[in-house]
Amino acid sequence: MQKTAALHRPPIHLAERIDQLSTKRQEIIRPILEHPRDYVLLSVRALAKKLGTDPATIVRIVHGVGFANYKQFQRHLHELSLAFATSLDTMPQSESSGGPDAQARDSVFRDLKNLQGLKNALDPARLGALAKKLYAARRIVFLGGDLAAVLVDYLGYQLNLLGLPVSVATSPGAATHTVRSLTRHDVVVSITFRRGLRQTVEATQQARNHGA
């Protein structure tokens, strides 16, 4: 009995093992852990097809994060689904009729699903480490433009309320001049979407070159 239970126990420090994977493999496994209910019943072939990869890659990823086999990983997904299930999960999702009312409901449903995914994937230990890093920093800089400017302003405002030394740069000129004086004692948080806004990417690279 004890041996069987140990076989299905998830590997210790799963988040650290995921961080050791290549970026491409991290991108493959994270959606599975964020929304386990969408993948738990799939065979390895069906899962690979849904994620646009091949079964061998899935198996290598499963082994890479510490599971003995795909069945053990699948059981972990099942346990995640049960542990983080909410009353919302038991409600049938109505098909959109294309009208504004249905679109509004679908939008809220997607937001709730995204929050549920965040709850499933959040690692408290890494969050605590990030908080310590921010409080120890000489200076904290938030970089972002276009759609990300709202998030950057919001995060900058909230950390400012906590009395942290925060700077926000949402324009190309401000980003360039802000990162110029950064050192290894500073922390930079960059937010951008899709392929990345050029001003944010270049400013982030410059900050990294300065040791931030």
Side-chain angles (χ1 to χ4, degrees), residues 23 38 101 128 145:
T23 301
D38 296 341
D101 292 345

Side-chain angles (χ1 to χ4, degrees), residues 126-136:
R126 294 182 69 192
L127 191 62
L130 174 61
K132 291 179 180 179
K133 191 170 187 176
L134 292 177
Y135 271 93

